[in-house]
Amino acid sequence: MALSLKVLDGVFLLNKCHRQNGFCSLFKPLVDSCHPRLYSSYKRPGTAPDRTPPWKKFDFNFQEGVERIKTHFGLLRKEVVDHVKGPEGRPLVEYMVEQVRVAWEFRSEEDLNKWSVSSDAEIGGKSEIFIKLGKNNQSAVLYGTLNTAVPRDGETKYSGYCSMKSKPRLVAFNRKSPYDWTNFNSLFLRVRGDGRPWMINIYTDPYFSHHKDDLYHYFMYPRGGPYWEEIKIPFSKFFFSSRGRVQDNQHALWLDKISTLGFTLGDKVDGPFQLEIDFIGLVKDRAHTEECAYELYERNPKK
């Protein structure tokens, strides 16, 4: 019995260590399935207490854990090799002269898995959004229905949004690795929409925890119709907001700490929508020298 308690304490410490230190994720797969069952506190009222001994609930999958550890070590090896070779695994000269890059393209289900979709259904709304591959697997089709009906929960006042967001890039041991876009000054997209406006959101990896709700926004207005459209948006046009409020203190986008990019539809017009995306790229426009498009004012100007 004492040995079983020590084993369970070790499982708890490993899970706690996994949340605090990425390296401890080496051992996380070995005990990944035991933590939720051992420490679940929910019980339906009136049910008899579970008298099953804890050691009988312990599910130890050694083979799966070893395979995941090998995978993470393989990713770590690739990460070290790329770091020695140059920025993002390319020679320094090639990296410095680069003027065009395709950040995301949509040619397979694997490309779609790099993105996630959400809507106001998460808060009780009725909007729906889906994503699928386009014709001949050459694009991504984002479609659904926008519904501005407010949930009857007595708290929510506004509803009606759908969004698509890229997943953070992960490296060895599930560490987040932000993108470095300092070589570029514009976002370049090839899309085909239905005329409805979309807000483009860029999230940067924050230095401090209280910056986790900071976002940079700008609007995209596809003209609609059967033809493809190429849209170029300078990064200097993106405005800074925090928790949904535009901030008076505007500053340029941190291009060396790009975490995710997303699209949001919330034009308060009920009905179906569709946006088809060929690719999302980056461009260095040498004719564009603007760093920030918005005037910066002092909060307490000296008189």
Side-chain angles (χ1 to χ4, degrees), residues 199 215-219 237-241 246 250 294:
M199 176 181 282
L215 279 173
Y216 295 84
H217 312 274
Y218 199 71
F219 293 94
K237 303 295 184 182
F238 283 80
F239 56 91
F240 173 62
S241 72
V246 180
Q250 293 289 320
Y294 307 102

Side-chain angles (χ1 to χ4, degrees), residues 12-32:
F12 174 75
L13 290 176
L14 284 175
N15 282 274
K16 184 176 180 181
C17 182
H18 171 73
R19 292 191 295 269
Q20 296 177 354
N21 190 344
F23 186 76
C24 289
S25 59
L26 280 171
F27 306 100
K28 182 65 166 58
L30 300 179
V31 294
D32 198 23

Side-chain angles (χ1 to χ4, degrees), residues 47-240:
T47 57
D50 186 8
R51 301 185 181 278
T52 305
W55 57 86
K56 290 187 178 181
K57 301 178 182 179
F58 189 79
D59 186 10
F60 188 83
N61 195 333
F62 184 81
Q63 183 64 30
E64 182 180 354
V66 171
E67 293 298 327
R68 291 190 183 182
I69 291 174
K70 290 182 179 179
T71 301
H72 282 292
F73 269 111
L75 294 174
L76 181 60
R77 179 179 179 275
K78 181 180 182 301
E79 185 179 347
V80 173
V81 173
D82 291 344
H83 181 75
V84 174
K85 185 181 298 184
E88 299 186 357
R90 289 175 297 169
L92 181 61
V93 176
E94 178 183 341
Y95 178 81
M96 293 180 63
V97 301
E98 185 181 25
Q99 298 186 20
V100 179
R101 180 192 300 177
V102 176
W104 291 279
E105 60 181 358
F106 304 93
R107 301 295 183 265
S108 63
E109 291 292 339
E110 184 179 356
D111 295 333
L112 292 185
N113 292 334
K114 298 178 182 179
W115 297 77
S116 60
V117 294
S118 62
S119 68
D120 55 32
E122 298 178 355
I123 60 173
K126 299 181 180 180
S127 300
E128 295 180 328
I129 183 171
F130 308 94
I131 185 173
K132 66 177 182 180
L133 286 175
K135 187 176 181 180
N136 298 326
N137 297 339
Q138 295 298 310
S139 63
V141 180
L142 194 65
Y143 66 99
T145 304
L146 192 70
N147 193 323
T148 58
V150 179
R152 298 181 180 181
D153 55 5
E155 298 179 358
T156 306
K157 297 182 180 180
Y158 306 99
S159 184
Y161 74 88
C162 293
S163 65
M164 168 185 174
K165 181 180 179 181
S166 65
K167 298 178 181 178
R169 182 172 62 174
L170 300 179
V171 292
F173 307 115
N174 294 329
R175 294 179 293 113
K176 293 183 179 180
S177 176
Y179 299 96
D180 187 359
W181 293 353
T182 52
N183 281 355
F184 310 96
N185 57 11
S186 300
L187 188 69
F188 189 82
L189 307 96
R190 187 170 186 262
V191 300
R192 181 163 57 182
D194 55 3
R196 304 184 70 163
W198 289 79
M199 176 181 282
I200 302 179
N201 311 306
I202 296 180
Y203 176 76
T204 57
D205 191 23
Y207 287 100
F208 305 101
S209 60
H210 61 275
H211 291 163
K212 61 182 179 63
D213 296 319
D214 294 354
L215 279 173
Y216 295 84
H217 312 274
Y218 199 71
F219 293 94
M220 177 179 66
Y221 297 93
R223 59 172 174 258
Y227 302 106
W228 287 97
E229 179 181 1
E230 296 179 351
I231 299 177
K232 183 173 68 174
I233 304 175
F235 290 127
S236 61
K237 303 295 184 182
F238 283 80
F239 56 91
F240 173 62

